[in-house]
Amino acid sequence: MRKWNFRTVIIALFSFAFASAIPAANAGADYSAKAHRLLIQIDQNDSGVMNLALNNAKNVIEYYRLKGEEVAVDVVTYGPGLNMLRADTSPVQDRIKQLRSVAFPSTIQFSACNVTKRGMEKTEGHAIDLISDAVIVPSGVIHLMELQEKGWSYVRP
């Protein structure tokens, strides 16, 4: 038969009291509520793919907005997909402006790969202007990778 000493009994009582207090203190907490974060990759100079990506972004934003939940979408362009954000070649400039006008500014970002931009400038022999909604990131692929490592979801239309 095990002999209980005073110290063991006190530790057991405190442990029980502390463990019981945790659920009570967190009653009503919604652990499933978190910001939804989506990366959409564009690496093709294809207006159909670009439009599909914008449809995906719009649908995700509207869905979570109706549910009252936070959402962030980052459309990441690199390689031939950078044409989506070029001021002189983008076939979807108007759709991007329209989407930005209905989305909160912090809800959607259009990321442009600087590695691709510099390569295009070197090949074409002149500076490339991006649409005003574009945010230059050092590398599109690294941007995708690092945000996925932080828990962002990923879609490639």
Side-chain angles (χ1 to χ4, degrees):
M1 179 169 217
R2 185 173 181 167
K3 199 176 186 184
W4 293 89
N5 65 26
F6 181 73
R7 183 174 179 202
T8 305
V9 171
I10 295 297
I11 291 172
L13 287 174
F14 274 115
S15 297
F16 177 75
F18 182 71
S20 298
I22 291 172
N26 293 322
D30 184 4
Y31 291 106
S32 64
K34 67 174 186 173
H36 303 279
R37 300 167 304 178
L38 176 63
L39 295 167
I40 302 176
Q41 173 183 322
I42 303 296
D43 63 355
Q44 301 173 55
N45 187 13
D46 180 332
S47 63
V49 170
M50 294 172 191
N51 277 300
L52 180 58
L54 293 173
N55 290 343
N56 292 161
K58 180 178 180 250
N59 292 341
V60 166
I61 291 167
E62 287 177 352
Y63 176 81
Y64 286 112
R65 183 177 288 162
L66 286 173
K67 290 182 73 175
E69 297 179 21
E70 291 184 38
V71 64
V73 176
D74 192 342
V75 179
V76 183
T77 64
Y78 65 90
L82 184 66
N83 285 293
M84 179 180 188
L85 301 180
R86 284 183 59 161
D88 61 340
T89 62
S90 176
V92 292
Q93 285 185 62
D94 293 336
R95 286 213 55 212
I96 290 171
K97 287 181 183 180
Q98 179 188 27
L99 184 56
R100 288 288 286 181
S101 71
V102 297
F104 296 116
S106 61
T107 302
I108 190 161
Q109 175 170 303
F110 294 93
S111 297
C113 174
N114 198 37
V115 172
T116 299
K117 182 179 179 292
R118 286 190 319 228
M120 286 180 171
E121 289 172 337
K122 185 175 180 182
T123 300
E124 296 177 25
H126 61 85
I128 291 175
D129 292 324
L130 300 176
I131 63 173
S132 62
D133 293 306
V135 174
I136 297 174
V137 296
S139 165
V141 172
I142 292 172
H143 186 67
L144 286 168
M145 181 181 73
E146 289 178 346
L147 290 180
Q148 285 181 78
E149 290 171 349
K150 292 178 181 176
W152 285 63
S153 299
Y154 165 83
V155 172
R156 181 174 183 238

